[in-house]
Amino acid sequence: MRDLKPRLARITDLNHAAALLEWDQETYMPPGAAESRARQVATLRSLSHELLISEETLTLIDRAKPESEIDQDLIRVVSRDIEKATRVPSSLIAEMARASGLSKGAWQKARQENKFSEFAPHLERILDLSLQHAEALGYEETPYDALLDQYEEGMTTAQVSEVFTSVKSDLVPIVRSISEAPDLSDSAVRGDFPLKKQWDFGLEAVKAMGYDMNHGRQDVSAHPFSTAFSITDVRITTRSDAKFFNPGFFGSLHEAGHAMYEQGIDMQLEGSPLADGTSLGMHESQSRMWENLVGRSRPFWKHYFPRAQQAFESTLGGVDMESFYRSMNAVAPSPIRVEADEVTYNLHIMLRFELEQDMLAGEIKVQDLPEQWNDRMESWLGIRPNDDSEGVLQDIHWSLGAIGYFPTYALGNLMSVQLFNAACDENPNIISEMESGQFDSLLSWLRENVHQYGRRKSANQILKDSTGTTLSSEPWLNYIRTKFGELYGF
Ligand code: ZN
């Protein structure tokens, strides 16, 4: 282990240096530096890749004598990383990089001009390469298993399908009931929300939640994200709208949720490939929990509403807390995923999950995709996109070759409620703490049951150990029925 660990630390350092360059690119880099920056990032990433799959690393792993459970986990996880990395021929990796480079440009143009036909041949190529990628990675039941596994290790298509099917069959009627009920006004979250005050108010909340600014910082970027360069440096970015409260505030809570996950990883894992979130779904469960289960709840606003009134006096001075709570939770089916509310969001994901599988299986042709998209959108959400730019062309993911990525967003939503319920069962004081702006019990429970493990446990294992069950749709559906049933009277 004495020789293996420093080697893995060097690989991790290269990845973190690349991540720092990418963070800079999204925050402070002058626009003219894009080309040189892309080259620098590629250099660091390929060096790290070469070091990882080299003979020397393999020999060190063979010779390593684990002295602890952490050592055993480290060897298991790194061996699996290397195996996956070496299964895919470098010619295919290069071909995928070339195709997605071209495809991204074509997608941007197609979206701008609202012309799906410009993007269609590129998507066909991406699908073809994704199938080759899946064959190279290997799978048990369906090629989709291999693609999903890249983002949500250990989950199978069958497991996800079963859970999503149950969500969909209950959720579609719920959305219909909400559409038939009188609209909730969102007027209290619209108005003047000065940017500087949003910045301060958001920071006050994320610091109270437990985001450690001694090991983090917040900056502005076009698309908010969080990123880590070590357990001791996990950053978030935000973007606010001076006329709309939700995106800036809930965006900060969301990214801080991601960041607190990585700040909470056991320091013994620092510098090793284990010091990362275990899957995208588990990562998203953390961001969604703080954003929705905490941030969009009455107990939270019992403490924060008077503060919000002070900060945004001209807009909220004459509003009561209940109107503010209803406003921020108003459900309004939109064709755009990133604007979707808590209720409809998962349907946007399930639409993409089904279409990805149908396309890979050859059951629908790329040329028929817009029609399929719009038809399903209409039958599930009751709305039809006006054009392909707000329909099938809205997301960047497919153009980058990220097939199998979307489900992780919905998995995060489902897991967030399972974990939150387990935390509250064990600590009934979590809700009353929230009412006084305290989050210690919730954060400690997450540190103990989720964060500390990094990649040592899979998402499935974390769920099993901390909630006693596997992935399940029922807790999330119950949460939605209770919260929105009360708001919309169904
Ligand atoms: Zn997220």
Side-chain angles (χ1 to χ4, degrees):
M1 294 307 296
R2 232 182 320 136
D3 298 320
L4 177 63
K5 280 183 182 171
R7 175 116 183 144
L8 296 176
R10 287 171 70 199
I11 295 169
T12 307
D13 286 346
L14 287 167
N15 285 329
H16 283 150
L20 179 57
L21 290 182
E22 285 166 338
W23 168 85
D24 175 70
Q25 181 169 1
E26 302 298 321
T27 49
Y28 296 104
M29 188 190 82
E35 212 168 297
S36 58
R37 181 55 49 87
R39 192 190 63 238
Q40 292 156 349
V41 169
T43 299
L44 290 174
R45 295 261 182 227
S46 66
L47 270 176
S48 132
H49 182 79
E50 283 162 24
L51 276 182
L52 179 71
I53 63 171
S54 65
E55 274 306 318
E56 196 180 337
T57 305
L58 289 172
T59 312
L60 291 175
I61 290 176
D62 278 344
R63 286 194 198 142
K65 294 194 177 57
E67 287 151 16
S68 64
E69 278 183 32
I70 293 182
D71 288 352
Q72 286 166 5
D73 290 338
L74 180 62
I75 291 176
R76 176 174 51 80
V77 168
V78 173
S79 304
R80 198 175 54 205
D81 285 350
I82 295 177
E83 208 206 311
K84 278 189 186 172
T86 45
R87 270 187 199 168
V88 187
S90 49
S91 58
L92 180 56
I93 293 177
E95 191 49 45
M96 289 192 300
R98 197 161 34 238
S100 65
L102 292 171
S103 163
K104 188 182 163 195
W107 167 76
Q108 279 165 334
K109 189 161 178 277
R111 188 167 82 146
Q112 235 159 41
E113 295 170 3
N114 187 32
K115 234 173 152 180
F116 179 72
S117 58
E118 296 262 343
F119 178 54
H122 294 274
L123 182 56
E124 271 166 14
R125 181 81 184 121
I126 294 277
L127 288 165
D128 180 40
L129 290 169
S130 297
L131 282 172
Q132 293 180 38
H133 193 198
E135 293 303 331
L137 286 166
Y139 54 85
E140 283 193 3
E141 278 185 24
T142 147
Y144 199 85
D145 282 336
L147 302 176
L148 175 66
D149 193 72
Q150 301 175 90
Y151 310 106
E152 199 60 41
E153 200 154 39
M155 292 242 180
T156 63
T157 313
Q159 187 188 9
V160 174
S161 284
E162 190 190 327
V163 173
F164 281 9
T165 304
S166 118
V167 169
K168 197 180 94 186
S169 68
D170 279 35
L171 197 52
V172 170
I174 291 176
V175 171
R176 202 166 304 135
S177 303
I178 291 177
S179 305
E180 286 159 6
D183 281 347
L184 284 190
S185 158
D186 68 351
S187 64
V189 290
R190 308 260 179 191
D192 284 327
F193 292 97
L195 296 179
K196 170 76 175 83
K197 290 193 169 163
Q198 286 199 57
W199 177 272
D200 294 341
F201 187 68
L203 268 186
E204 184 196 335
V206 300
K207 283 196 263 184
M209 279 164 26
Y211 177 53
D212 177 1
M213 297 291 287
N214 194 35
H215 297 109
R217 55 176 287 133
Q218 178 173 269
D219 294 271
V220 173
S221 71
H223 304 282
F225 64 96
S226 92
T227 181
F229 316 130
S230 80
I231 298 169
T232 59
D233 188 353
V234 192
R235 305 187 186 185
I236 60 175
T237 70
T238 186
R239 189 167 97 140
S240 304
D241 178 335
K243 294 283 173 198
F244 185 21
F245 178 76
N246 290 3
F249 185 74
F250 295 111
S252 285
L253 264 50
H254 182 101
E255 298 310 332
H258 281 302
M260 288 192 289
Y261 183 5
E262 303 211 22
Q263 285 185 337
I265 295 171
D266 182 354
M267 273 305 286
Q268 291 186 76
L269 310 185
E270 171 70 352
S272 89
L274 293 176
D276 202 347
T278 194
S279 74
L280 293 186
M282 186 53 73
H283 233 303
E284 197 66 6
S285 78
Q286 299 307 293
S287 56
R288 288 301 215 172
M289 186 184 299
W290 292 99
E291 175 192 357
N292 291 332
L293 305 183
V294 175
R296 287 180 209 262
S297 74
R298 281 201 186 89
F300 180 88
W301 289 103
K302 197 169 170 187
H303 177 79
Y304 278 101
F305 185 64
R307 282 161 177 76
Q309 274 188 310
Q310 242 169 24
F312 312 108
E313 233 237 295
S314 67
T315 307
L316 297 180
V319 172
D320 58 55
M321 189 197 115
E322 191 56 26
S323 312
F324 188 60
Y325 171 74
R326 286 168 178 266
S327 271
M328 75 178 62
N329 284 301
V331 175
S334 152
I336 310 289
R337 174 183 62 86
V338 296
E339 291 171 6
D341 50 73
E342 262 189 283
V343 177
T344 54
Y345 192 91
N346 281 348
L347 288 175
H348 286 266
I349 298 309
M350 286 158 203
L351 171 76
R352 289 152 176 79
F353 175 66
E354 286 189 5
L355 291 173
E356 285 181 344
Q357 291 179 77
D358 290 349
M359 287 190 294
L360 284 174
E363 278 164 25
I364 58 175
K365 290 201 184 80
V366 165
Q367 63 190 40
D368 299 328
L369 188 61
E371 189 76 10
Q372 286 287 337
W373 179 290
N374 296 345
D375 287 350
R376 290 185 211 197
M377 187 69 121
E378 193 167 6
S379 81
W380 298 1
L381 282 170
I383 44 169
R384 201 173 177 89
N386 285 315
D387 55 37
D388 291 338
S389 295
E390 62 169 46
V392 67
L393 286 173
Q394 66 183 276
D395 299 305
I396 195 173
H397 303 59
W398 289 344
S399 79
L400 300 176
I403 310 273
Y405 186 110
F406 280 118
T408 66
Y409 292 117
L411 292 172
N413 287 328
L414 304 185
M415 290 184 214
S416 74
V417 180
Q418 291 186 265
L419 294 168
F420 189 72
N421 289 353
C424 292
D425 285 347
E426 264 180 58
N427 301 278
N429 53 327
I430 283 178
I431 301 295
S432 59
E433 279 185 14
M434 259 158 64
E435 288 175 337
S436 53
Q438 305 270 314
F439 307 95
D440 298 352
S441 296
L442 177 58
L443 185 61
S444 323
W445 189 91
L446 293 171
R447 293 258 190 272
E448 178 72 28
N449 289 280
V450 182
H451 300 175
Q452 61 158 327
Y453 295 106
R455 295 178 68 203
R456 293 183 63 197
K457 285 188 184 183
S458 68
N460 274 328
Q461 194 62 47
I462 287 175
L463 285 176
K464 223 177 276 168
D465 293 348
S466 63
T467 72
T469 53
T470 50
L471 180 72
S472 160
S473 58
E474 213 35 52
W476 184 81
L477 282 166
N478 272 334
Y479 160 75
I480 292 291
R481 275 187 218 112
T482 309
K483 176 172 177 179
F484 293 91
E486 189 246 348
L487 283 170
Y488 282 91
F490 62 83

